Amino acid sequence: MNGITLDEVSQQIKAVIRDIPDFPKEGIVFKDIMPLLANYDIFNKTIKFIADHYKGRGITKVVGIEARGFILAAPIALELQAGMAPVRKKGKLPYKTISKTYDLEYGHDTLEIHEDAIKQGEKVLIVDDVLATGGTIKAVCELVEQLNGNVESIAMLIELDFLKGREKIANYDLFSLIKY
Ligand code: AMP
């Protein structure tokens, strides 16, 4: 994007991501992207950089994961001239859904997508803000595939390297803008 390198954009993004220790529970350092969203220049560069990475790959649908994934997926979809499909927590989507239950550190969670959100054979890009253990993204890949979509790639704003989420989705193409 306009000659700016991944390193340069990563540094600018890192400078506006805020660490919140012990949120939502003790021991977790929450990566708060709200200061990034509040900054037009950095937010714009973030969206354009991710979208540019995928231009020409034939992506027709961008899947965003509740809730911060929506904020990134929608403008990326517009840049790619693709549609957008939300994945939400159980009970939030109004039409007929398919669902996937997956394990969390303690307990489990269920994600849903509308059964008509993805057409057979569509090239799909999945977007979220943070890759932690990878459980969420893996469940979303399975939802897309259940609808016979092809996961072309996964785009993450932040990858928490030390949690090794990448290993859980080793069969998929993954692009992350910044790593910790
Ligand atoms: P996981 O399934 O462990 O990869 O967790 C990913 C989901 O949890 C994403 O939707 C993230 O938004 C959220 N998440 C996990 N860890 C963090 C963190 N340290 N800071 C912000 N969000 C997080």
Side-chain angles (χ1 to χ4, degrees):
M1 180 208 157
N2 292 335
I4 190 168
T5 66
L6 178 60
D7 263 4
E8 283 164 344
V9 84
S10 299
Q11 275 175 28
Q12 290 178 11
I13 292 171
K14 272 193 174 170
V16 291
I17 287 176
R18 180 164 56 192
D19 281 359
I20 312 283
D22 299 321
F23 182 88
K25 55 185 180 194
E26 221 176 300
I28 305 270
V29 180
F30 190 86
K31 296 291 182 193
D32 178 18
I33 66 163
M34 301 305 143
L36 180 157
L37 301 176
N39 182 321
Y40 167 73
D41 182 49
I42 312 283
F43 185 22
N44 187 42
K45 275 183 187 151
T46 301
I47 297 301
K48 296 272 163 60
F49 206 92
I50 296 174
D52 280 0
H53 183 80
Y54 289 108
K55 277 185 180 152
R57 283 173 65 170
I59 288 160
T60 53
K61 194 68 49 80
V62 179
V63 168
I65 304 167
E66 183 170 355
R68 290 177 302 279
F70 295 169
I71 302 168
L72 302 171
I76 291 168
L78 294 179
E79 285 287 325
L80 292 175
Q81 298 180 307
M84 193 261 172
V87 165
R88 299 206 65 180
K89 305 262 166 66
K90 192 179 170 62
K92 301 277 191 183
L93 286 168
Y95 185 59
K96 288 179 231 163
T97 59
I98 60 160
S99 65
K100 182 86 205 165
T101 298
Y102 64 105
D103 291 332
L104 297 171
E105 200 179 345
Y106 305 110
H108 52 265
D109 215 343
T110 300
L111 291 173
E112 296 183 334
I113 189 168
H114 275 162
E115 65 174 24
D116 64 352
I118 288 160
K119 293 194 225 70
Q120 166 116 17
E122 238 183 336
K123 272 196 182 181
V124 176
L125 171 66
I126 300 172
V127 176
D128 203 3
D129 65 334
V130 176
L131 176 68
T133 66
T136 304
I137 278 294
K138 186 162 183 279
V140 175
C141 289
E142 286 168 13
L143 283 173
V144 169
E145 285 168 353
Q146 220 177 308
L147 293 176
N148 297 311
N150 293 325
V151 179
E152 169 72 9
S153 187
I154 298 162
M156 307 295 307
L157 180 56
I158 300 166
E159 180 176 355
L160 302 178
D161 242 356
F162 56 93
L163 292 174
K164 303 191 190 313
R166 188 176 273 269
E167 289 175 10
K168 222 175 249 164
I169 43 169
N171 295 335
Y172 297 93
D173 181 61
L174 171 68
F175 172 64
S176 53
L177 271 188
I178 62 174
K179 294 184 188 191
Y180 292 95

